[in-house]
Amino acid sequence: MSAVATTTPSPILTAPPAPPRRPRVLTVAAAFGGVASGLVVLTMLGVYLQVRGERLADGVPALPEDVTLPLTPGNMGLVTLAMSVVTVAWLCYSLRNEDRTHAYLALGVSLLLGVAFINATAYLYQQLSMPFTMTGTSGLIYAVTGAHLVMTFVGLVFLAVMGFHALGGQLTGRDAESMSAAALYWYVTVAVYLPVWYGIYVTK
Amino acid sequence: MTVTEDAPAAVSAASEPPASTPASTGLAAILGSGDHKVVGRLWIVASLFHLLLAGAAALAVAAEKIDLSGADVLEDWLGPLYAYRSIAAAFLFLLPLTIGLATAIVPLQVGASTLAFPRAATAAAWTYLLGGGLLVGSVLIEGGPYGTDVEGVRLFVVSFALVLVAQAVAWVCIATTVLSLRVPGMTMRRVPLFAWSSLVAATVWLITLPVLAAITVLAYLDIRYGGAGGFFGGGEQTLYTRISWVFGTPSVYAFAIPALGVIGSVVPVFARTRHQRHRLAQGLIAAFGALSVGVWTVTGYGSDPYPWLYEGPWVVVSFAVLIPLLGLIGLWVATLVQGRLELSSPLVFGLAAVLMLLVGLLAGAVQAIEPIETLVDEGATPLFSTSWSAAIAGYVGLAAMIALLGGVVYWAPKLVGRTFDEAPAKVLAVVLLAGTVLWAFPELVAGLLGQPALPLVGVTENDAAIEGLNVATLVGGVVLALGVAGLVALFAVAARRDELPGDDPWSGHTLEWATSSPPPYGNFASLPEVTSEAPLYDARHRSEEGSA
């Protein structure tokens, strides 16, 4: 008994309590930020559709006559983002279950898919060779897709930063809120791409 | 909302003061502070500075409108100054004042030790200062809407976008604080009305500001790359028209959402009783906010600029928005009747504000009745295009201003550690009320007589009568200026006084009164148990019952 009484307490037991967690702070902010960013893109899309509709009603083609808007890169972008939704969900699931190997793999694939989407859009711009002018709809097409590209880039950076936190061991299964916030922003980014894809690439 | 309905489990910690206090003092304390009270004060002071500039522009435009034969004095400046006074009054004064008050008070009301993302909030404040300064500069070099200097117009658009981004970030911080940093026991249903109204306003503005920002970015691209052939049809000349929907109904009502929270916070305190049906009041404020979302009234880019005008949704919203306000007025009357009325200065501000807001909303409803026509051109000009619409914005905006200034008077002990002199503050509230009536009512009548919303555009009939009404408007502007100047002077007098107001000079009901005046860094040493929307009222009554 005496041995028990004189045992030095473990440093872990005597350490001060961990600083408190801020519940869902980042997730709530990411939700607001995602919706706000999405509204910027959707507003531009709405303006594009209205201007395009007016031109078509006046018998003026929506795009310059020598420009063809290919559907394939847009479709590839959609498929790429759809796959990234699965990989980001995989990432969050792995992190919650402390499966770091899968988490690293999922993070790598998610970032790769995000970069692939940006690459697909850049390739589309190259294929289009459409001049940037605001006298028709071409400038609006660049504005809408460019704004979504910015949103995608922000989402990627957010995912990457949280990913590095995870790599550094700062995010554990019980404290993965930051990654959930990044994932939420990414899901909104992907959701916003759906109307962009339909409004610009499908309806042309 | 469901995910945040329960009180956050770990919020108790969020209410504990941070371990260290800021060491810096003076200017360094302001420049580098993440303390929400300092940041809030920064917003408020800067907004009052912009009120000075916007007020001067408004008075200049009002003076020019006395003689409708042409822009004699301002000449080419009339258009830019008119656009500037509207944009500055809304986005450089009114919204920043709201954000400042919310930044300083909301964390205290919900029992948090800090604002969520204090560094982001600080960055937002400085971005607003930078954007606001650049915006004023752009107008001075003849940029801005209707400006003649193309570079200045571009600078205006960029600086306006900066201001919008800053305000969006600030609203995210405020909304997140209410949703995530509440003290244990403070469920969403127990959130005080000012914090609640700030959450509603944040949500509405986070829907509205991005739309405005997107249009601003497109305007920049159009001015930069489109010129006269652009889809805006000549950038700088149509810029104001593209963003003016935010000053029309129903968007303009969004400026008044936090005002409802200020009034809702003040009324029960000076009735010395609980707010009647607090949850219903929350619902009514939320309904008012939902109805004031006006992004669907964005000006059209086709042949019909107002495709929604006199259509069903616009008419319905114009009338429906009266219901929550009338409901709230009913609750406030019931609260005042139930308790013991004490006519203190914040309450006088609140009553003046609610009266002006009601008139503004009634005028908005009348505007939506298509058969009510102007007395000129056989009704070809809709009321919406006349100064009737500008008068609605005036009533609502000035009502919000009066309520928020009342909020500054009410929360002055928490903002600066001083109280305003009661009697002069009451007089100034009445002066502001009189100024609002004098400013906005003649514009209503002038609208009926055909005065367009934009100054000196196509007025051909009733010139003499309209000029007389415009004189009254100018007098109203001068009275408002005197009222605001008086309030600033009163504040200066209060700031010089050595006498401290005490922690709870009003016998308040909510948590901000549970700490010292002004609150320390970290806000609270301890907090009472929160079992209702009025924890301090509960605690006071429990102790009174105990002593009896």
Side-chain angles (χ1 to χ4, degrees), chain B residues 62-85:
Chain B
E64 188 66 75
K65 283 163 70 179
I66 290 174
D67 178 9
L68 295 174
S69 59
D72 303 321
V73 181
L74 294 177
E75 297 180 347
D76 293 344
W77 284 87
L78 183 61
L81 274 186
Y82 176 79
Y84 165 73
R85 65 137 213 185

Side-chain angles (χ1 to χ4, degrees), chain B residues 290-352:
Chain B
L291 290 167
S292 61
V293 175
V295 291
W296 52 276
T297 62
V298 170
T299 312
Y301 288 82
S303 49
D304 185 3
Y306 309 121
W308 38 265
L309 196 63
Y310 298 126
E311 293 294 326
W314 188 66
V315 176
V316 168
V317 165
S318 297
F319 279 90
V321 76
L322 272 164
I323 297 171
L325 181 64
L326 290 173
L328 284 165
I329 291 173
L331 290 179
W332 292 331
V333 169
T335 306
L336 291 172
V337 168
Q338 187 88 12
R340 290 177 287 110
L341 176 65
E342 184 186 319
L343 204 60
S344 293
S345 54
L347 186 60
V348 179
F349 275 94
L351 295 176

Side-chain angles (χ1 to χ4, degrees), chain B residues 24-179:
Chain B
S24 52
T25 55
L27 187 62
I30 298 173
L31 290 172
S33 178
D35 184 1
H36 66 96
K37 280 103 54 193
V38 177
V39 178
R41 283 197 292 267
L42 195 62
W43 280 99
I44 292 171
V45 171
S47 72
L48 291 175
F49 173 72
H50 280 293
L51 171 64
L52 181 74
L53 298 178
L59 285 177
V61 172
E64 188 66 75
K65 283 163 70 179
I66 290 174
D67 178 9
L68 295 174
S69 59
D72 303 321
V73 181
L74 294 177
E75 297 180 347
D76 293 344
W77 284 87
L78 183 61
L81 274 186
Y82 176 79
Y84 165 73
R85 65 137 213 185
S86 307
I87 291 167
F91 293 100
L92 297 184
F93 162 60
L94 201 50
L95 269 188
L97 179 63
T98 311
I99 289 170
L101 203 57
T103 300
I105 300 300
V106 164
L108 293 167
Q109 278 209 326
V110 299
S113 63
T114 178
L115 190 74
F117 309 111
R119 289 190 190 92
T122 308
W126 289 108
T127 307
Y128 152 69
L129 286 179
L130 175 69
L134 288 174
L135 195 145
V136 173
S138 73
V139 174
L140 289 177
I141 60 169
E142 298 186 37
Y146 308 113
T148 50
D149 185 290
V150 178
E151 295 293 330
V153 176
R154 288 180 200 162
L155 178 62
F156 174 89
V157 175
V158 171
S159 54
F160 185 48
L162 267 182
V163 170
L164 296 178
V165 169
Q167 293 180 355
V169 171
W171 281 125
V172 168
C173 297
I174 292 164
T176 307
T177 303
V178 180
L179 287 171

Side-chain angles (χ1 to χ4, degrees), chain B residues 246-398:
Chain B
V246 82
F247 306 119
T249 55
S251 291
V252 72
Y253 300 144
F255 290 99
I257 299 168
L260 300 176
V262 173
I263 301 165
S265 293
V266 163
V267 165
V269 170
F270 297 107
R272 304 293 173 215
T273 186
R274 287 181 176 284
H275 196 293
Q276 292 292 306
R277 298 185 179 275
H278 176 84
R279 291 178 194 175
L280 177 60
Q282 284 184 319
L284 291 170
I285 291 174
F288 186 89
L291 290 167
S292 61
V293 175
V295 291
W296 52 276
T297 62
V298 170
T299 312
Y301 288 82
S303 49
D304 185 3
Y306 309 121
W308 38 265
L309 196 63
Y310 298 126
E311 293 294 326
W314 188 66
V315 176
V316 168
V317 165
S318 297
F319 279 90
V321 76
L322 272 164
I323 297 171
L325 181 64
L326 290 173
L328 284 165
I329 291 173
L331 290 179
W332 292 331
V333 169
T335 306
L336 291 172
V337 168
Q338 187 88 12
R340 290 177 287 110
L341 176 65
E342 184 186 319
L343 204 60
S344 293
S345 54
L347 186 60
V348 179
F349 275 94
L351 295 176
V354 79
L355 189 63
M356 292 298 92
L357 188 57
L358 180 62
V359 175
L361 263 63
L362 283 170
V366 169
Q367 181 186 243
I369 304 171
E370 193 171 4
I372 295 183
E373 301 170 339
T374 56
L375 301 177
V376 295
D377 60 24
E378 297 174 344
T381 305
L383 267 187
F384 182 80
S385 305
T386 70
S387 63
W388 182 283
S389 178
I392 294 169
Y395 270 119
V396 175
L398 290 170

Side-chain angles (χ1 to χ4, degrees), chain A residues 19-26 28-30 32-33 35-37 39-41 43-44 47-48 50-51 54 132-136 139-140 143, chain B residues 3-4 8 10-11 13 114 116-117 172 175-176 179-181 206-207 210-211 214-215 217-218 221-222 225-226 229-231 300-303:
Chain A
R21 268 198 319 137
R22 295 272 170 76
R24 295 190 298 268
V25 169
L26 201 55
V28 169
F32 278 118
V35 170
S37 316
L39 278 170
V40 171
V41 179
T43 303
M44 290 182 176
V47 172
Y48 162 74
Q50 197 178 12
V51 171
E54 283 282 327
F132 188 99
T133 167
M134 296 302 275
T135 50
L140 283 171
Chain B
V3 290
T4 55
V11 170
T114 178
F117 309 111
V172 168
T176 307
L179 287 171
S180 296
L181 294 185
L206 283 170
I207 294 170
V211 175
I215 289 169
V217 170
L218 290 180
L221 293 176
D222 195 46
Y225 298 102
F231 66 89
Y301 288 82
S303 49

Side-chain angles (χ1 to χ4, degrees), chain B residues 528-531 535-547:
Chain B
E529 186 185 5
V530 178
T531 55
L536 265 65
Y537 180 85
D538 291 343
R540 209 173 291 125
H541 274 249
R542 270 199 300 270
S543 65
E544 281 173 11
E545 284 166 11
S547 61

